[in-house]
Amino acid sequence: MDSLRFSLRPFVRLVVCASLCILGLAVSVHAGLLGGGNQRAVGGVIIDGSGIVRDANVEEKRELAEMLRAQMDAIGGDLQQADEMRMISLSGLQNAITAAAGKPLPAEIAFLAGLQRVEYVLVDSENNDIVIGGPAEPWTVREDGSVVGAVSGHPTMRLADLAVAMRGLEQASAEGISCSIEPTPEGRRKLQQLLRGVKLRPGQNPAAMEESMKLAFGPQMIHLTGVPTDSRYARTMVAADFEMKRVAMGLTRSGVDDLPSYIAMSRNAAHGAGQNPRWWMACDYEELTRSEDGMAWKMSGNRIKTMTEQDLIDQNGAAKGSGKQDKLAQAWADRMNSNLDKLSVQMPIFGELQNVMDMTVLATLIRQEGLAQKAGLDLSVLKGDDSPVKLASYEVPRSVAPQCSFIRGRKGWIVTASGGVDINAFEVVEKQRVDDSISEKTDAKLASKSDRWWWN
């Protein structure tokens, strides 16, 4: 009898919902652009009161995009131009947030003046400030409700994610930041029992078994650590995890020619019984570069890397890592890593994950290196319990109904996909090297500081 194996890959695109939930935060009691809206609806899914997700349809996505466009103020002045390094004063940003309390929060604050990523972190002790810098663009709303740079198509960074990263450092230190969406051991056992009695006739289409497999396997459960489970940050991790699996298992096209599915790459390969490739995404940064005095820092790297190993499933349905890699699974992970820039434009959720990783590394660097103390800067507006920045609370994603698809290998049938997201910013910050040349570029930028909270 063939060994029949399975793959359950729910589709989830957790972007941001309309109004308050779109931007993930509010200022004081008057949210303006950020207020109201159906908190169950997000860019790719609907989440019910029990935390169960389903696909959002085309009309729901269109309504989300239209609401965002209608409520955003127009981009004006220098924000209409892209710049290779836009500087943002965290002191000035906090002042702008405080000034907006009780009024609609401008989109330029919610989207951090169009910042695309964080490349530089500078301590300006003369002005009691920390300044961050990186490329920036005017932003636009895609048809699915994603907010992206009008030039690159990469998602725009958000104040809401920065606030979560700044406030969650103690929790992240204690628990680690992670997301996993996994079947239950009971579900695996029930599916194993079902498959023991299955004999496929030559040419029989296994798709006929899909509904019975779904029923046996049950929902996949969502597990989150290190960040508030009702935050936009948490939803970004969940969405990225599922989109990665959908691409790997051929349930959706990546939109990148050089990134086929793992399923396509593994056709007719031998798959041994009891082993399943697992993929997860982790931080991918080069060593942080700093000046000798620790007042100027540079962040570089891909931000994300996809990793893989084989899972072993025991007779009780429990999964554990084997420490071994499947060559084809590793080849697929390598392709995803080498095509990440293109992929984050085709599927913005991966760019969103890059952005929250940047925010988390930034917040961790400020804490671990005592940058706020060096600057003499009080960051309580961004991270304090009494801050006027009030984070939106979403329905917590708890589970996803499974979807099944199949492929015939030389030794059996399809491979299970599982995995997650692991953000270890503390490890990133520990790896440093000294290079005083970074101050040559950043000193001129600090000297050109303007009266507003951002400048080119």
Side-chain angles (χ1 to χ4, degrees), residues 66-125:
E66 288 183 354
M67 184 178 297
L68 256 177
R69 291 169 183 146
Q71 295 188 358
M72 278 188 186
D73 43 310
I75 301 174
D78 291 343
L79 288 176
Q80 299 179 67
Q81 304 299 319
D83 192 271
E84 67 175 9
M85 191 161 77
R86 182 161 294 159
M87 311 301 288
I88 292 178
S89 158
L90 295 189
S91 173
L93 174 62
Q94 290 193 131
N95 291 339
I97 292 169
T98 301
K103 296 179 292 186
L105 187 69
E108 71 176 57
I109 295 178
F111 295 112
L112 294 174
L115 196 66
Q116 290 281 295
R117 64 178 177 271
V118 177
E119 289 187 346
Y120 291 92
V121 184
L122 312 172
V123 177
D124 182 6
S125 57

Side-chain angles (χ1 to χ4, degrees), residues 162-189:
L162 175 59
V164 170
M166 295 289 287
R167 296 174 188 184
L169 288 171
E170 294 302 324
Q171 185 181 5
S173 177
E175 301 177 358
I177 299 175
S178 68
C179 163
S180 65
I181 305 154
E182 304 285 352
T184 64
E186 179 184 7
R188 287 194 181 102
R189 287 196 301 271

